[in-house]
Amino acid sequence: MASILDEYEDSLHRSASVQQSRASVGIPHSGYVNARLEKETPIFNKQRIDFAPPEKINSLVVSSNQLCMSLGKDTLLRIDLGKPDEPNQVELGRKDEARVYKMFLDHTGSHLLIALNTSECLYLNRSVQKVRALSRWKGHLIESVGWNKFLGSETNTGPILVGTSQGQICEAEISVSEGSLFSTNPDQYFRQVYTLEEESGPAPVCCLEIERGIEGKFFIIATTRKRLFQFVGKVPEGTEQQGFSSIFAMHADHLPSFREFPANLGFSEIAFYTPKLRSNPRSFAWMMGNGVLYGTLDYSRPDSILSDERVWVYPSDIDITVNKPISIVLTQFHFLLLLPDRVKAVCTLNGQVVFQDLFLEKFGLLTRMIKDPTVQQIWIHTEKVVFRYHVQRESRDVWKMYMNMNKFDLAKEYCKDRPECLDIVLAKEAEHCFQNKRYLDSAKCYALTQNYFEEIALKFIEAKQEEALMEFLIKKLSNLKPSEKTQTTLLTTWLTELYLNWLGILEGDPSQRNLYLDTREKFRTFLSSPKNKDCLFNNRASIYELLASHGDTEHMVYFAVIMQDYERVVAHHCQHDEYDEALNVLSRHRDEKLFYKFSPVLIQHIPKKVVDAWISMGSRLDARNLIPALVNYSQSASTQQINEAIRYMEFCVYQLEETQQAIHNYLLSLYALCRPDSLLSYLEQAGTNPNRIHYDLKYALRLCAEHGHHRACVHIYKVMELYEEAVDLALQVDVDLAKSCADLPEDDEELRKKLWLKIARHVVQEEKDVKKAMACLSSCALLKIEDVLPFFPDFVTIDHFKEAICNSLEDYNKHIEELKREMEEATQSAKRIREDIQEMRNKYGSVEPQEKCAACDFPLLNRPFYLFLCGHMFHYDCLLQAVFPNLPAYKQAKLEDLQKKLATTSQPSKSHHRPKDADTISLGKGQQSREQIKADIDDIVAAECVYCGELMIRSIDKPFIDPQKYDEEMQSWL
């Protein structure tokens, strides 16, 4: 097997040159040949809105699909983008020279603030048509508004912040509830809370944003032309409606934290990216003089929400003195800069311009760019035209940027649904790890790529990184499909070889003990992996050869256990005299075939434990298959060891209730050999019924005879009903035993008498004991003194059995007297019977003229009738009709035959000249007389009363109405 792997490694070296030649002709190393990474569709898709404004557009705001634009001097147009065909036009109602300076729309699209260049401010709610002036705001040129996204509603703004051109931050609240709808002042209050300054003094508040962090902490971001301020503080719970004055009061004596940049655009603008509706912004982009400050928002920080800040300078073609940016919009991975004639999209990951859209001069100069945060649409307008950008699959190429930045985890996150891109990222990560000598990480990544297997394997072999190579092979193996059986077999075998080499190296180095144990555990995990089970099982012969070639018997046994090749495991233990371990394996896995195979070996060394294991297996083992092992063992063992064989056989017979003849015969042989006492008790317990005895009677008889167990032989003779042989053998042992045998043939008195005569002859002739012979007479009633006398010798005097002779004569006299008494009793009985018969002949009954038939209720005397002792009277035909259906078939046939004969005898003779003597003679030649036929009919029909006899009892379960006539009977009642 090792030579095969060596040849395979040589083939890897040869394949390397092939890969180089493929690369030289442009064959890609990825499995995704000629796969297009992305369809060429722009990320930012521009659409011109089909709208021709009647006047020039001054300002445009969008939020929550609500668009508001200022047209000309005095017109406001509102459009619900869900219903674009239903625009709503509102007149401001101004007669002076006031112009719209800026407009601000809240996050719900309900509250619109209109700042005029005359330092006035108007308010319009989505649910009303009339513009209201905010009197408390007069005298302030509004530059920015910070909406309250947490307490605001469609009818109330909640506490909001307002930034002015003089650097003032004011707090205000507007409500259009019923209580204030017709009030002259919809603004609830307007008060200054802070003033922002730069080095030259107060500066316009360009932007305001209110965010809430964890634990009720609020972050307020405010920007001027060069500075970005942060106000951080908590609003006591329950007092949020009171506003943010407490937060600004904390900074009354000192400036809050801020970021400052030297360059100046004359204004600044900050944009935020919110990934989901009703969630907090995740990133920001502040457009100022030096470029764009980009970063993320971390709400867990105590003093500053800004995190991971970096400044992306403007592209080289932007000169802030000539064509400075006008607006900024932030998306997930880009910020868009609005210039007077174009839009540029810059990637926030690398600062590169990825998109540029140049607008035609006929549309005019670009005025403003704004994003609807709820639907992520970007709106741009000039004085004449409105455009809209749709952002489509913005993250499509983000993986490339993260990959080039060596942020591989993020790169994989953004191409996990695109396998061709994921393969490129993994290959780049693997190469990066390899160059930085992180070989294990490199192997894990390479295993997930589609790169050529031979090239990667050769790379680790040349770098002499066997551990990394093993990791690569393991990962590659786990990614193979079940159908790739050849590759699975190759990798599995190669990994086994590598593991064994590595374990061999580590085992000889005591200082690497921990690493050896860890590697051994990994190897065992590899062998026991469910995914590799089928492959290892199909190639187990090769794996066994590898293990044997390395002399690793420990893992050979471990592998055999995994493969459930317990035969090999048990054989290994037996070869190394580890009999207890072998038995433990058998007991754990309870394989009957293995027990049969290895029991002959194990019982020679640990008989008691083996028998215990057999007993624990119970009925799962067939004891017949274990008898050969017990026979071999018992032939070479001592009596004490044979007891173990007897113990198991007794368990089979008494506990498992085995009925196999071989088992009982073998137990008999063991009893006959070592335990004669148990032999007889076993035979007696088995009983005397040959049909219920499970051992072979002839074999048992021969076995007991060979070992001289006469009592056992007598018992077997009795079971075989060979009573003469049983008595003959019993007389050699014990006369009482013979007596018990002589009484067994209870149904055969002749045989029983013969057996007792044998006993008597033995007692008289062999034992010469007259008293015992007389005792035999008393034990068996069949024996008489005259039967025993011939056995006595002539010299015996009558005195010894005088009493017996007298008793015998007395018995004869008693028997004669008894016979006389019985004869007299018989004579008296015959006399009484004759008297009863005569009395019955003279018995009669009287019938009154008014008596009626019990069946038909007609007068009884009109027709032939029967009178029963019980008093019931029936016409002959009525009784016949009631009795006939209930008679047995043979009696019905007989009755019909008798009726025919009766009818024949009642017909007059057709020959008027036949003499009367001839008729009498013909009746006497075999035909019954008329009286005899009538008597036979009476015996059948009038045997018993139909109402009082057994017929009525037998008919108790019969229905009153015949089931076949039930329907007919039921219809007759309707």
Side-chain angles (χ1 to χ4, degrees):
M1 194 66 204
S3 62
I4 296 175
L5 295 176
D6 292 338
E7 290 177 6
Y8 180 72
E9 290 183 5
D10 293 338
S11 70
L12 292 182
H13 289 281
R14 291 194 299 272
S15 66
S17 61
V18 177
Q19 306 309 325
Q20 293 173 1
S21 63
R22 287 181 176 178
S24 64
V25 295
I27 298 177
H29 282 240
S30 173
Y32 302 99
V33 180
N34 294 329
R36 297 189 63 185
L37 297 182
E38 192 60 50
K39 186 178 179 181
E40 295 298 332
T41 56
I43 296 175
F44 302 99
N45 186 20
K46 181 174 70 175
Q47 176 190 7
R48 180 181 174 181
I49 304 300
D50 186 13
F51 172 70
E55 299 180 75
K56 70 175 183 179
I57 302 173
N58 298 321
S59 181
L60 184 147
V61 289
V62 182
S63 182
S64 294
N65 241 9
Q66 300 295 318
L67 183 146
C68 300
M69 65 174 70
S70 170
L71 302 176
K73 175 186 175 183
D74 199 47
T75 303
L76 189 67
L77 187 65
R78 296 188 294 183
I79 301 175
D80 185 348
L81 297 178
K83 304 174 182 177
D85 297 333
E86 302 176 7
N88 175 250
Q89 185 172 321
V90 179
E91 300 296 329
L92 297 183
R94 303 287 296 193
K95 303 300 181 181
D96 54 11
E97 296 298 322
R99 296 287 187 273
V100 174
Y101 175 63
K102 286 185 178 181
M103 295 196 304
F104 308 94
L105 187 62
D106 79 317
H107 62 288
T108 66
S110 302
H111 306 283
L112 177 66
L113 292 174
I114 306 165
L116 304 179
N117 58 0
T118 57
S119 298
E120 295 179 84
C121 191
L122 306 177
Y123 171 74
L124 179 64
N125 190 274
R126 184 170 64 180
S127 61
V128 300
Q129 286 289 107
K130 186 177 180 180
V131 177
R132 306 297 303 276
L134 303 177
S135 59
R136 291 188 175 92
W137 296 44
K138 192 172 183 178
H140 299 279
L141 184 61
I142 307 303
E143 291 284 348
S144 58
V145 175
W147 296 102
N148 193 327
K149 294 177 286 187
F150 315 104
L151 296 178
S153 65
E154 293 183 359
T155 58
N156 189 286
T157 62
I160 60 175
L161 297 177
V162 180
T164 70
S165 60
Q166 301 300 317
Q168 299 169 341
I169 297 178
C170 301
E171 186 178 73
E173 184 176 357
I174 302 173
S175 175
V176 290
S177 60
E178 292 184 4
S180 60
L181 184 60
F182 301 101
S183 172
T184 56
N185 294 319
D187 49 333
Q188 302 296 304
Y189 63 88
F190 187 89
R191 56 175 176 263
Q192 181 179 348
V193 293
Y194 201 80
T195 301
L196 294 183
E197 296 183 354
E198 294 181 351
E199 67 276 2
S200 59
V205 182
C206 299
C207 299
L208 280 170
E209 182 74 16
I210 304 171
E211 296 297 337
R212 183 168 62 184
I214 58 177
E215 298 178 354
K217 185 181 292 185
F218 281 85
F219 297 87
I220 300 173
I221 298 175
T223 66
T224 61
R225 292 166 296 190
K226 299 194 300 183
R227 291 182 177 180
L228 187 151
F229 294 87
Q230 292 186 78
F231 299 88
V232 182
K234 287 187 177 181
V235 175
E237 186 176 357
T239 63
E240 293 88 348
Q241 198 67 39
Q242 298 178 8
F244 306 101
S245 303
S246 59
I247 298 177
F248 290 100
M250 297 168 59
H251 303 280
D253 300 330
H254 62 278
L255 286 175
S257 62
F258 65 89
R259 296 290 307 275
E260 183 175 14
F261 293 88
N264 185 359
L265 292 175
F267 66 94
S268 70
E269 186 173 345
I270 191 167
F272 296 90
Y273 168 70
T274 303
K276 295 180 181 179
L277 187 64
R278 301 184 186 277
S279 63
N280 290 331
R282 297 296 174 85
S283 56
F284 75 97
W286 180 40
M287 183 182 72
M288 40 75 181
N290 291 83
V292 176
L293 177 66
Y294 173 80
T296 58
L297 301 178
D298 186 357
Y299 296 91
S300 62
R301 300 181 65 181
D303 300 324
S304 175
I305 193 176
L306 309 182
S307 177
D308 298 330
E309 302 170 53
R310 68 178 70 179
V311 177
W312 295 116
V313 298
Y314 295 119
S316 58
D317 60 343
I318 295 179
D319 185 356
I320 63 173
T321 60
V322 179
N323 60 341
K324 59 185 177 182
I326 301 170
S327 292
I328 186 171
V329 162
L330 181 63
T331 63
Q332 186 177 6
F333 296 105
H334 302 85
F335 59 82
L336 280 72
L337 296 174
L338 180 69
L339 301 173
D341 61 346
R342 70 194 63 191
V343 172
K344 287 181 178 288
V346 180
C347 179
T348 57
L349 299 178
N350 54 15
Q352 300 296 316
V353 177
V354 297
F355 173 78
Q356 179 171 280
D357 193 6
L358 186 63
F359 287 75
L360 299 177
E361 293 183 3
K362 67 177 182 178
F363 298 137
L365 296 178
L366 302 178
T367 305
R368 177 75 172 163
M369 178 172 62
I370 192 168
K371 185 180 75 169
D372 187 344
T374 58
V375 294
Q376 305 295 327
Q377 291 179 347
I378 301 170
W379 296 78
I380 297 175
H381 74 93
T382 66
E383 292 182 347
K384 304 176 182 179
V385 187
V386 178
F387 298 93
R388 178 170 58 189
Y389 281 96
H390 293 276
V391 183
Q392 297 180 340
R393 298 173 60 215
E394 184 182 4
S395 62
R396 66 181 69 173
D397 294 328
V398 170
W399 64 272
K400 292 182 185 177
M401 302 171 192
Y402 280 129
M403 181 182 70
N404 295 331
M405 297 164 62
N406 293 333
K407 294 183 177 181
F408 300 109
D409 290 338
L410 290 173
K412 287 184 284 189
E413 180 67 24
Y414 284 99
C415 63
K416 60 185 178 181
D417 297 329
R418 300 159 65 190
E420 69 280 358
C421 302
L422 182 61
D423 188 70
I424 296 173
V425 175
L426 288 169
K428 182 72 180 291
E429 182 182 8
E431 186 63 27
H432 174 77
C433 294
F434 192 90
Q435 292 175 358
N436 287 276
K437 297 183 178 181
R438 292 163 48 202
Y439 296 111
L440 287 177
D441 294 334
S442 176
K444 293 176 183 178
C445 293
Y446 268 132
L448 300 174
T449 67
Q450 297 293 324
N451 288 22
Y452 292 112
F453 172 82
E454 298 88 344
E455 179 184 350
I456 300 169
L458 212 84
K459 199 169 188 176
F460 287 114
I461 291 173
E462 290 175 349
K464 298 181 179 179
Q465 294 296 323
E466 285 196 4
E467 188 176 0
L469 176 61
M470 290 166 61
E471 185 66 28
F472 169 69
L473 295 178
I474 291 172
K475 294 294 182 183
K476 202 71 179 176
L477 179 62
S478 65
N479 293 330
L480 289 178
K481 299 177 182 177
S483 58
E484 298 173 317
K485 295 183 179 180
T486 304
Q487 295 89 328
T488 303
T489 301
L490 174 63
L491 293 182
T492 302
T493 310
W494 194 2
L495 276 169
T496 303
E497 175 72 13
L498 291 174
Y499 268 120
L500 291 173
N501 288 337
W502 189 240
L503 287 171
I505 295 170
L506 295 176
E507 189 175 15
D509 188 354
S511 62
Q512 300 290 334
R513 179 64 179 171
N514 291 334
L515 181 59
Y516 167 77
L517 295 176
D518 184 55
T519 306
R520 185 182 69 175
E521 187 61 30
K522 289 181 180 178
F523 180 44
R524 293 185 173 184
T525 302
F526 166 74
L527 291 177
S528 58
S529 171
K531 188 171 183 180
N532 303 331
K533 183 177 181 180
D534 291 339
C535 178
L536 291 170
F537 182 80
N538 294 331
N539 299 277
R540 58 188 183 279
S542 300
I543 303 297
Y544 281 132
E545 289 179 10
L546 280 174
L547 293 167
S549 66
H550 285 266
D552 195 342
T553 57
E554 178 184 0
H555 284 106
M556 182 183 291
V557 173
Y558 182 81
F559 179 69
V561 172
I562 294 173
M563 294 294 104
Q564 296 184 356
D565 189 1
Y566 303 119
E567 182 176 352
R568 186 183 293 269
V569 177
V570 177
H572 170 80
H573 288 311
C574 289
Q575 289 171 2
H576 293 79
D577 297 337
E578 298 171 353
Y579 303 109
D580 288 333
E581 289 296 327
L583 184 60
N584 288 337
V585 174
L586 290 176
S587 300
R588 256 195 324 269
H589 301 289
R590 306 174 74 81
D591 189 334
E592 299 88 348
K593 294 181 180 179
L594 294 182
F595 266 104
Y596 300 147
K597 182 172 183 177
F598 291 101
S599 288
V601 177
L602 295 176
I603 200 168
Q604 299 290 339
H605 300 88
I606 47 174
K608 185 178 185 306
K609 293 182 179 179
V610 170
V611 171
D612 290 339
W614 289 351
I615 292 174
S616 67
M617 287 288 289
S619 59
R620 294 184 61 178
L621 288 179
D622 188 348
R624 292 177 300 175
N625 296 328
L626 297 173
I627 288 177
L630 291 172
V631 170
N632 294 334
Y633 169 66
S634 60
Q635 288 177 352
S636 59
S638 64
T639 303
Q640 183 177 0
Q641 293 170 323
I642 292 177
N643 289 337
E644 294 300 329
I646 294 176
R647 181 162 69 95
Y648 180 65
M649 288 292 103
E650 288 179 339
F651 169 76
C652 294
V653 170
Y654 299 121
Q655 300 297 324
L656 301 182
E657 298 181 353
E658 286 284 355
T659 59
Q660 297 294 332
Q661 191 176 81
I663 297 172
H664 287 264
N665 288 345
Y666 184 59
L667 180 59
L668 268 174
S669 67
L670 294 175
Y671 280 152
L673 183 64
C674 297
R675 292 189 186 175
D677 297 337
S678 299
L679 172 63
L680 187 59
S681 62
Y682 165 78
L683 293 174
E684 291 174 349
Q685 188 173 352
T688 58
N689 187 346
N691 297 324
R692 297 184 180 181
I693 288 176
H694 305 301
Y695 56 85
D696 187 343
L697 290 169
K698 295 180 180 179
Y699 171 76
L701 182 61
R702 184 173 66 253
L703 192 67
C704 295
E706 289 176 357
H707 291 84
H709 303 311
H710 298 306
R711 287 184 177 273
C713 291
V714 170
H715 179 82
I716 297 171
Y717 278 134
K718 290 193 293 185
V719 175
M720 297 173 70
E721 297 184 357
L722 299 175
Y723 301 116
E724 292 190 40
E725 290 80 355
V727 171
D728 291 339
L729 186 59
L731 289 174
Q732 301 177 21
V733 179
D734 185 7
V735 174
D736 292 334
L737 179 61
K739 290 180 180 180
S740 64
C741 296
D743 282 330
L744 291 177
E746 297 178 355
D747 299 332
D748 192 346
E749 292 186 355
E750 183 179 353
L751 177 59
R752 190 145 51 97
K753 182 175 180 180
K754 182 179 179 181
L755 297 179
W756 276 102
L757 286 174
K758 282 190 175 188
I759 297 172
R761 178 182 296 171
H762 174 79
V763 171
V764 173
Q765 295 181 352
E766 299 298 331
E767 297 186 7
K768 299 183 177 5
D769 190 340
V770 178
K771 291 183 179 181
K772 189 178 288 187
M774 294 299 102
C776 289
L777 292 178
S778 60
S779 299
C780 179
L782 299 177
L783 287 184
K784 305 298 180 182
I785 186 62
E786 57 267 28
D787 298 326
V788 182
L789 285 176
F791 303 146
F792 289 97
D794 296 337
F795 59 86
V796 177
T797 61
I798 197 173
D799 295 336
H800 292 90
F801 41 84
K802 177 180 179 182
E803 184 178 355
I805 293 173
C806 293
N807 291 336
S808 179
L809 293 174
E810 290 179 1
D811 290 340
Y812 280 128
N813 291 331
K814 290 179 181 179
H815 184 60
I816 292 170
E817 293 297 330
E818 185 175 352
L819 290 176
K820 288 180 179 180
R821 185 171 59 255
E822 290 177 358
M823 289 174 64
E824 291 177 359
E825 290 177 356
T827 302
Q828 293 297 324
S829 295
K831 183 179 179 181
R832 285 195 296 270
I833 291 172
R834 284 193 297 271
E835 292 175 354
D836 290 341
I837 292 173
Q838 186 63 35
E839 183 179 354
M840 288 298 294
R841 286 177 181 173
N842 298 327
K843 197 167 185 179
Y844 65 92
S846 60
V847 177
E848 299 294 333
Q850 66 273 18
E851 293 289 348
K852 295 181 180 181
C853 175
C856 66
D857 205 30
F858 279 95
L860 184 68
L861 299 178
N862 289 350
R863 301 196 300 272
F865 63 90
Y866 289 101
L867 173 63
F868 292 95
L869 295 177
C870 59
H872 288 118
M873 304 173 215
F874 300 93
H875 288 131
Y876 166 76
D877 53 344
C878 294
L879 182 63
L880 179 63
Q881 185 179 0
V883 171
F884 186 82
N886 298 288
L887 290 175
Y890 74 94
K891 283 192 176 183
Q892 289 180 353
K894 184 177 180 182
L895 183 58
E896 290 176 351
D897 184 56
L898 291 172
Q899 286 178 329
K900 289 178 182 179
K901 290 181 179 181
L902 183 62
T904 302
T905 57
S906 63
Q907 291 178 357
S909 176
K910 293 181 181 180
S911 177
H912 298 282
H913 302 286
R914 195 170 73 174
K916 183 178 179 180
D917 294 341
D919 183 57
T920 306
I921 295 171
S922 64
L923 290 174
K925 286 184 176 180
Q927 295 186 8
Q928 294 176 313
S929 66
R930 180 178 176 82
E931 296 299 326
Q932 181 63 41
I933 294 173
K934 291 177 67 175
D936 292 341
I937 291 175
D938 291 344
D939 289 341
I940 296 175
V941 175
E944 60 181 356
C945 178
V946 72
Y947 287 170
C948 302
E950 293 184 3
L951 179 61
M952 182 59 66
I953 297 173
R954 288 198 302 269
S955 65
I956 195 170
D957 59 344
K958 290 184 179 180
F960 291 108
I961 300 174
D962 188 350
Q964 297 179 355
K965 299 180 180 179
Y966 181 80
D967 293 337
E968 180 183 350
E969 185 70 21
M970 183 176 67
Q971 291 297 330
S972 67
W973 282 81
L974 296 177

